[in-house]
Amino acid sequence: MAIKHVKKLIEDGGIIFMAYVGFMSQSLLSGMIDSLEKEETLEGISKKTSHSIFTILIEMTQNIIKYSKEGYVDEINLNSNGLILVGKTDDDVFYVHSQNIVTAEDCIKIKNIIDEMNKLDEDEIKQRYRELRRSGSNSHAKGAGIGFYEIAKRASEIKYEFTDMGSNKYNFNLTVNIK
């Protein structure tokens, strides 16, 4: 999502609890969680919903930390590893949105995983998650490879988009609506 899309989200209404663009780190993630915990109290968000938001935020931020391709200069000329938004639409749907740069190879892997998940019902997602945890077949040097399934267990909808930026770089936008 380009900065112009973020502006459109704000203009279209709803509430954005948190928006961050730039370098991502584990300590920054901790700060984001602390900030959202305060919002949770102020907004009266249920424990189940807030737990889902936190889990999804953690998984999406870790994906940015581990997989973003550095050296990208975005539309406002800032070196940026990623963007994270947490908000609620006018229809009271909570969402977490992320944006980062990935390679063409990553696009194929991500697309295959999300397309597979989007075909499964809730029970099938949980079953697939358990299978992957037990087998370790998705494991790789950066983790267990089950983060998208962790997200899907808590999502009511997962949408994604890739935009070709040339030089084997793609802008990856992921929006997860929360149950």
Side-chain angles (χ1 to χ4, degrees), residues 15-29:
I15 300 168
I16 295 183
F17 297 110
M18 186 193 69
Y20 177 81
V21 62
F23 179 76
M24 301 280 177
S25 68
Q26 289 297 103
S27 59
L28 176 66
L29 177 57

Side-chain angles (χ1 to χ4, degrees), residues 23-38:
F23 179 76
M24 301 280 177
S25 68
Q26 289 297 103
S27 59
L28 176 66
L29 177 57
S30 294
M32 288 190 278
I33 295 294
D34 289 344
S35 176
L36 284 173
E37 285 175 341
K38 289 179 176 79

Side-chain angles (χ1 to χ4, degrees), residues 60-73:
M60 290 170 78
T61 303
Q62 286 178 339
N63 281 341
I64 291 171
I65 292 168
K66 293 176 183 176
Y67 303 109
S68 272
K69 304 309 172 205
E70 297 183 21
Y72 167 66
V73 178

